[in-house]
Amino acid sequence: GQGFVIEPAVSLEEIAALPFETQDGTPVTVGGLAGKPVLISFIYTRCAIPNMCPLTTRNVARVQAQLSEQEREAIGIVSLTFDPEYDTGDVLKEYAQAHGADLGSWQFWRGTTADTERLMSAFNAWAKEAGDEYAHNMRSAILRPDGALSRVLRDSTWDVDSAAAHLRELAAGSM
């Protein structure tokens, strides 16, 4: 069916080249994920509100758990922290392990605050520092293999089965 097309606030060209690094310190870009559908979420590891970042990360873990080995290779999963000073590579690795992430196909990214804000703004996601915490909204998104926005997943209560099915569909079309 035809859904609404949500025009991102920042162009794909602008966000494709923004530099980030994985939990292992490997340099990455959104453009480098081209050719695969991608599930991207925005989190910070110290988030203490159970139905915000922890729930989003659990949902992403549940999506990954539904994917076969072959599907995991064909689909990208990225969780980007908006707290890069605290969320070092080691902190992100611990967080990934605590949530049962398969780091073979799910990467945890960090970058400069400016680059992170630019990427988040493309999905109408935002975070504002408030002491040791962040006031923030919850947005995840599914990108098509060509990098275009396919679906915005609002809040942290999005449907895991529907997201997994949509990623499978996009992957099948690009294989």
Side-chain angles (χ1 to χ4, degrees):
Q2 294 289 11
F4 287 99
V5 176
I6 300 159
E7 284 305 316
V10 179
S11 76
L12 278 170
E13 290 72 41
E14 276 184 82
I15 65 168
L18 293 173
F20 296 96
E21 62 178 33
T22 68
Q23 69 279 350
D24 294 319
T26 308
V28 281
T29 62
V30 172
L33 299 168
K36 292 180 175 191
V38 177
L39 170 58
I40 186 166
S41 59
F42 306 98
I43 53 115
Y44 79 113
T45 66
R46 293 186 287 178
C47 185
I49 303 169
N51 65 347
M52 296 284 280
C53 300
L55 179 56
T56 292
T57 303
R58 274 202 307 281
N59 283 346
V60 174
R62 287 167 55 208
V63 167
Q64 188 181 47
Q66 286 193 23
L67 303 175
S68 70
E69 207 56 49
Q70 195 179 358
E71 288 167 337
R72 288 181 189 198
E73 284 173 27
I75 293 169
I77 302 177
V78 171
S79 290
L80 174 69
T81 178
F82 46 80
D83 185 14
E85 280 183 38
Y86 181 86
D87 289 340
T88 61
D90 286 341
V91 169
L92 290 171
K93 271 188 249 188
E94 279 173 34
Y95 185 79
Q97 276 178 327
H99 286 87
D102 168 6
L103 292 173
S105 59
W106 181 357
Q107 296 179 336
F108 289 77
W109 289 12
R110 55 193 297 273
T112 66
T113 301
D115 289 338
T116 300
E117 282 174 2
R118 284 184 69 197
L119 182 56
M120 288 176 70
S121 74
F123 304 102
N124 295 314
W126 58 267
K128 290 180 178 55
E129 218 167 336
D132 278 347
E133 298 180 340
Y134 282 82
H136 64 94
N137 68 348
M138 289 308 312
R139 283 278 188 281
S140 301
I142 294 175
L143 304 180
R144 295 197 314 241
D146 64 1
L149 181 62
S150 181
R151 190 175 284 182
V152 172
L153 307 171
R154 285 188 179 75
D155 307 317
S156 51
T157 55
W158 45 269
D159 187 74
V160 168
D161 296 340
S162 165
H166 189 61
L167 285 161
R168 269 195 199 100
E169 209 174 281
L170 291 171
S174 70
M175 277 154 64

